[in-house]
Amino acid sequence: EPPIELSLANFWPATHFLNTEQVPTWIADMEAASNGRVKITNYDGGTLLKGPETYDGVVKDVADIGVSVFAYTRGRFPLLEAWELPGITYANATTAAVVAWEGYKKFKPAELNDTKVLYLFATGPGHMWTKKPVRTLEDLQGMRIRATGLSAKSLEILGAVPEAMSQGESTEALMKGVVDGNLSPLETLLGFKQAEYVDYLTMTPFIYNTVFFCVMNLEKWNSLPPEVQQAFDQANEKWAEKAGKIWDSHMQEGLDYGVKDNGLEVIKLSADEAARWKALLAPLHDAYIEDMNAKGLPGKEALDWVLDAGEKYSQQYGD
């Protein structure tokens, strides 16, 4: 009997560790779990679907499986924004990934009901790299910084001009001077070679976290034999933590590439300066709850849970 052929779309470049390590390992796990009854072909670099198109492209069956970023389509996944609000503590990518996955299972957001969610993962804390130094709020005013989702809203509140684009687009934008910087996880300095186009790295772990998805077309999922579905579910239960550990292993590589190989100057905000930034961002929590109440969604319950889970899993998975 020939295997069931499935396509997987993602926007990361072929050389990125998501495509050299994470996706191939995941594919091997799924094919093994199904005893060879499924064969998955990876289409990387946005060749099948660009980052912002991926989720709806899977819904429309352009690809059977898609891996991308919720924040690329802000407003499309309202309840999930709780996991990306500034001021939430995640020790690392593994913490953030497990919180995302456990939260998904707890709340089962209706906004994801049009696909089969296979697993979720996350970046953990992100930071800002720029062409000019950012040591204070005053330095940030008017700077064009690439950001997506709630990170873009955070930067706007802080006085920057957020520019929404995918990571692949942001590398070219940095190279051409279209943007002055980027707010992202450290791995991007190496994974997308962005360290080559900036000079300064400001550590801002309280602003950024992004959650990624791996989802499957619902009709395609429903067409799989029940035993294959069960095998996928069992294998994917471990994948939030697995993916988080892969991302954590590459964060230090990105930092080393930026600082040691490309000479980026690392800037750490003083305690007083960080407090200024956090004070401006604090109202975003109340605004999120208000917005969710208006939509009839359990925003306060979700945010309270994320805050507690962030602390709990940071203790479990932190250094």
Side-chain angles (χ1 to χ4, degrees), residues 44 46 58 88-89 91 114 136 162 166 174 176 219 236 246 253 258 275 307:
D44 56 34
V58 170
I88 297 171
T89 301
D114 49 2
T136 66
S166 70
L174 284 168
K176 293 181 176 179
E219 278 189 37
N236 278 312
I246 290 171
E253 289 182 359
L307 288 165

Side-chain angles (χ1 to χ4, degrees), residues 219-277:
E219 278 189 37
K220 185 67 73 171
W221 171 259
N222 289 333
S223 74
L224 294 178
E227 61 272 20
V228 173
Q229 292 179 341
Q230 184 179 11
F232 267 46
D233 282 339
Q234 288 175 348
N236 278 312
E237 186 59 34
K238 306 170 185 176
W239 258 93
E241 183 177 342
K242 277 188 178 181
K245 288 180 177 177
I246 290 171
W247 280 72
D248 280 329
S249 73
H250 290 277
M251 291 300 173
Q252 189 62 44
E253 289 182 359
L255 181 60
D256 289 344
Y257 182 72
V259 176
K260 295 179 181 178
D261 296 347
N262 288 275
L264 267 60
E265 178 185 335
V266 178
I267 298 169
K268 293 186 178 179
L269 301 177
S270 69
D272 288 345
E273 185 63 27
R276 292 176 68 201
W277 295 42

